[in-house]
Amino acid sequence: MSAEKFTENALNYRQTIARSIHDAMQADPSVFFFGEDIGAAGGPFKTTAGLFDVFGPHRVRDTPISEQAIVGAAIGAAAMGQRPIAEIMFADFAAVAHDQIVNQLAKYRYMTGGQVRLPVTLRLSNGAGSGFAAQHSQPVENWYIGVPGLKVVAPGTVEDLYGLMQAAVRDDDPVLVFEHKTLFSVKGTVTPGAVVPIGSAAVVRSGGDVTIVAAQLMRHRAVEAAARLDDEGIHCTVIDPRTLVPFDDETVLASLRETSRLVVVGEGPADGSWGAALVARVARHGFELLDAAPRLVCSPFTPVPYAESLERAWLPSVDDIVAEVRSVVAY
Amino acid sequence: MVRIREFENGVGTLFHRNLVRGSTHLYNGQEAVAVGAVAALRPTDPVTCTYRGHGVVLARGSDPVACYAEILGRSGGLCGGKGGSMHLTDVSRAHYGSHAIVGAHLPIAVGLGLGAQYRGTDEVSLTFFGDGTVNIGAFHEALNLAAVWSLPVVFVIENNLYGEYSPVAATTPITRLADRAAGYAMPGVQVDGNDVHAVRDIVATAAERARGGGGPTLIEALTYRQVGHSRSDPATYRPEGELDAWLERDPITLLERFIGDAAATASVRERVAAEITAALDAALALPEPDEAELLTDVIG
Ligand SMILES: Cc1ncc(C[n+]2csc(CCOP(=O)(O)OP(=O)(O)O)c2C)c(N)n1
Ligand SMILES: [Mg+2]
């Protein structure tokens, strides 16, 4: 693959991963990238194809299968003033590096009284819907929302993926970037150098009756549900939080001032999810804005199943979202 | 070494006065490892160590007042009172932290070496850890990555014969821990950890090799923890006579014997004892951290 690949701006989500890393590395020589099979082979999902050819083995490095060492190496390199991007192949494998992520990466700055800042970008391929079964499909982002010291982003579009990656690499704090495996073919257009600020939600569409909050795959399903509900005369605002930590509560509360009804859609079981946390905060800070109890559309409390029919049933569907919106309107 | 010993004795008294929260792990008997190793480094070489880290930080030259203040949870502590005894850190002296999850700092030490290698500067990352640490997975991942990327890292095992209350033989199937190096095709060497000059020399060789692009070395320093694992440990599991035999080989006594000037070494002890007493009093006079500090240095 040649460097030319990185001049095209009309891209899909998969190509945007390599492009966003490419542009971040080109903008700043302290940025370098490592992970398992990401270099010469271009990544297990071909999300990083071409980077090795452009930047070579000093800046794009294949690691051993050592998740703890990958995260630790990123921490140390960041402490030495570099801006490493490290990849955890399937987000599920972050469990193997849990200590490095929650005890080291997240706490280093606080425990040292601010002596160490860690501009680490950790990229993880996440999410269900592709038939990878229980150990390669979990909503791993929810493992980290309760760990102070990490920023967590979950882009659902080409533009947001590109812009949040630029923001993550420039950020002086550790940022976990969750890339959703079902969105690789989503198309869009990148604006070179454009940054999407961490901590700002996007209002994807506006409607006065119900506020739907959804990220990544669920954002796309929410938009589809909202289009269908328009035909029934129910008009929805869809908000994509884009960043899960720190969460942009204000954009949600502002919308609720108009709609007074909230439906949060989250991939994965409700307990311990960002959606449940959002509902709890809205109950505390927005109770008087609401005309109905806030709703959470989510997955059953099971691991992600393999069979196509079961996995389909596990993921919240457009129908599920439509039904929940109707019910909150009828309340 | 005398400063570390006096400092640790001071921590012991603070502990008995109930002024140290949680736990604390003293370095008595192991001083020659930190002092010898640090003496072989440049001030800019990044160093990491364990929760038993007061000695390493002091060897790096950190202010005993700020160290005591941190252990006491006072403002003016090295970490503003947010780290405590197990997390003394002084980045101004290239000390990148005392780490309290066994083995977790080894991958980070590899990263510090990677940072130097990537930017093309010649720092060497040195990390201290215990004999018990050779059995945790992070040890394997760290040594393997350091070796395969030829990173400038020196791994120093402080073999004090015990991991908490378990003797090495109860947890580790080999007796010469340096042998683990063979699996990573790096040199694995043993040294008398109570002989400060020997430690300095062997670390100097490893550091020079690393600085020249020769890759990592595993050093096993044989030493002894003269006190319990932590404050609550009376160390009754030691075999009869073991402590006495090691007290005979106390690293400070060995060094004083080497120097051979009793009057001079006695006066050093006296001067340092007074300095440490003053440091402790100064730290005790510091206020607690401002409550606003609770919310700072998280993210943003
Ligand atoms: C991952 C982990 N497991 C267990 C502990 C509890 N623990 C603290 S110190 C220690 C013994 C470590 O022994 P060694 O590596 O020999 O170091 P030493 O204390 O002798 O310096 C243990 C088991 C811990 N802190 N982290
Ligand atoms: Mg030990």
Side-chain angles (χ1 to χ4, degrees):
Chain A
M1 228 155 291
S2 75
E4 271 164 28
K5 181 166 175 254
F6 297 112
T7 56
E8 177 61 55
N9 293 334
L11 300 172
N12 65 28
Y13 191 93
R14 180 197 310 273
Q15 296 164 323
T16 304
I17 294 170
R19 174 60 184 275
S20 62
I21 296 170
H22 171 273
D23 288 8
M25 288 180 68
Q26 216 158 47
D28 181 350
S30 76
V31 181
F32 68 119
F33 174 40
F34 49 89
E36 295 164 14
D37 292 319
I38 55 91
F45 306 111
K46 294 284 171 269
T47 51
T48 56
L51 294 172
F52 183 82
D53 296 327
V54 175
F55 296 106
H58 185 64
R59 295 188 71 187
V60 177
R61 298 179 178 221
D62 286 316
T63 66
I65 308 160
S66 301
E67 278 73 13
Q68 298 186 63
I70 290 169
V71 179
I75 293 171
M80 288 292 274
Q82 309 308 301
R83 292 187 176 272
I85 302 174
E87 173 173 311
I88 300 291
M89 186 189 284
F90 282 81
D92 314 65
F93 309 160
V96 177
H98 198 61
D99 173 59
Q100 289 294 323
I101 298 171
V102 308
N103 280 326
Q104 319 305 326
L105 183 63
K107 298 182 173 67
Y108 218 137
R109 179 180 169 197
Y110 193 81
M111 289 198 323
T112 62
Q115 293 180 68
V116 182
R117 299 295 298 268
L118 296 177
V120 168
T121 300
L122 197 61
R123 299 179 32 253
L124 312 94
S125 296
N126 200 39
S130 321
F132 282 102
Q135 294 178 341
H136 291 70
S137 307
Q138 299 162 77
V140 170
E141 71 277 24
N142 287 329
W143 298 354
Y144 299 109
I145 59 162
V147 181
L150 303 171
K151 295 178 177 173
V152 179
V153 305
T157 67
V158 161
E159 292 75 10
D160 290 346
L161 173 58
Y162 181 87
L164 283 167
M165 195 84 80
Q166 305 312 308
V169 172
R170 292 171 203 199
D171 202 287
D172 286 335
D173 289 318
V175 183
L176 274 48
V177 180
F178 286 93
E179 296 153 4
H180 203 287
K181 296 196 291 290
T182 61
L183 300 180
F184 286 148
S185 59
V186 167
K187 290 185 173 43
T189 306
V190 303
T191 307
V195 174
V196 171
I198 291 173
S200 92
V203 179
V204 179
R205 49 118 70 209
S206 295
D209 298 323
V210 176
T211 301
I212 308 177
V213 182
Q216 298 199 302
L217 176 60
M218 292 302 125
R219 165 217 163 109
H220 294 278
R221 293 193 175 175
V223 168
E224 210 180 314
R228 228 196 268 172
L229 287 157
D230 270 340
D231 301 338
E232 299 177 17
I234 299 173
H235 303 295
C236 297
T237 290
V238 174
I239 294 174
D240 180 348
R242 306 192 289 190
T243 297
L244 304 180
V245 184
F247 202 96
D248 182 359
D249 287 347
E250 195 34 57
T251 295
V252 176
L253 292 170
S255 172
L256 289 175
R257 281 181 201 110
E258 294 182 4
T259 64
S260 302
R261 287 179 165 78
L262 176 64
V263 173
V264 181
V265 191
E267 181 177 326
D271 290 353
S273 71
W274 65 263
L278 173 62
V279 166
R281 290 195 304 275
V282 168
R284 170 67 184 82
H285 300 293
F287 187 72
E288 58 292 338
L289 300 175
L290 297 174
D291 285 345
R295 306 298 175 90
L296 187 50
V297 187
C298 51
S299 305
F301 194 66
T302 69
V304 183
Y306 168 69
E308 191 175 359
S309 57
L310 296 180
E311 190 180 36
R312 196 181 319 117
W314 187 87
L315 280 166
S317 67
V318 175
D319 286 345
D320 293 337
I321 300 168
V322 166
E324 203 67 31
V325 170
R326 282 193 195 124
S327 131
V328 82
V329 168
Y331 177 83
Chain B
M1 283 161 67
V2 174
R3 179 174 293 120
I4 295 170
R5 181 68 58 87
E6 290 295 335
F7 183 92
E8 295 293 61
N9 291 340
V11 175
T13 57
L14 289 178
F15 217 95
H16 291 118
R17 289 168 64 189
N18 244 334
L19 290 169
V20 183
R21 315 194 71 239
S23 195
T24 195
H25 309 78
L26 303 180
Y27 204 59
N28 299 50
Q30 303 184 200
E31 294 89 347
V33 182
V35 172
V38 165
L41 299 177
R42 297 179 184 166
T44 47
D45 289 332
V47 168
T48 44
C49 67
T50 74
Y51 48 85
R52 195 181 304 288
H54 309 164
V56 174
V57 175
L58 288 167
R60 212 67 227 233
S62 297
D63 175 11
V65 179
C67 294
Y68 271 137
E70 187 59 35
I71 292 167
L72 288 163
R74 301 292 168 90
S75 108
L78 279 179
C79 308
K82 282 166 151 175
S85 166
M86 295 196 282
H87 299 299
L88 297 187
T89 302
D90 189 351
V91 172
S92 73
R93 292 175 185 274
H95 186 282
Y96 284 89
S98 308
H99 299 259
I101 306 291
V102 164
H105 59 300
L106 274 61
I108 296 170
V110 168
L112 292 162
L114 172 63
Q117 188 199 62
Y118 176 72
R119 71 188 185 193
T121 52
D122 67 353
E123 293 90 352
V124 171
S125 167
L126 182 140
T127 187
F128 297 94
F129 53 94
D131 44 275
T133 307
V134 305
N135 296 325
I136 201 159
F139 169 88
H140 168 65
E141 293 196 13
L143 269 73
N144 184 66
L145 186 61
V148 82
W149 284 356
S150 269
L151 295 174
V153 186
V154 179
F155 297 95
V156 179
I157 308 172
E158 304 175 293
N159 184 351
N160 60 12
L161 309 192
Y162 295 90
E164 281 191 347
Y165 324 122
S166 304
V168 172
T171 58
T172 312
I174 55 172
T175 50
R176 189 180 183 276
L177 303 182
D179 285 351
R180 285 274 159 96
Y184 311 103
M186 70 172 78
V189 290
Q190 265 186 339
V191 64
D192 177 355
N194 284 15
D195 177 345
V196 69
H197 296 106
V199 173
R200 183 199 57 196
D201 292 347
I202 208 157
V203 170
T205 304
E208 195 180 332
R209 174 185 153 89
R211 230 182 281 287
T217 300
L218 178 64
I219 296 172
E220 178 186 6
L222 299 164
T223 185
Y224 193 72
R225 190 190 72 208
Q226 295 176 358
V227 292
H229 165 72
S230 60
R231 75 144 157 195
S232 51
D233 174 23
T236 49
Y237 44 80
R238 298 183 201 275
E240 215 26 72
E242 185 181 84
L243 175 60
D244 289 338
W246 279 94
L247 287 173
E248 284 294 308
R249 301 205 64 255
D250 178 82
I252 297 175
T253 311
L254 292 186
L255 179 60
E256 289 181 342
R257 222 176 276 157
F258 172 85
I259 293 168
D261 181 342
T265 51
S267 94
V268 166
R269 284 204 190 221
E270 212 171 299
R271 177 172 56 72
V272 171
E275 173 206 315
I276 290 297
T277 305
L280 201 154
D281 290 343
L284 282 167
L286 290 167
E288 297 191 319
D290 190 313
E291 225 174 279
E293 289 300 315
L294 172 67
L295 301 180
T296 61
D297 288 320
V298 184
I299 50 172

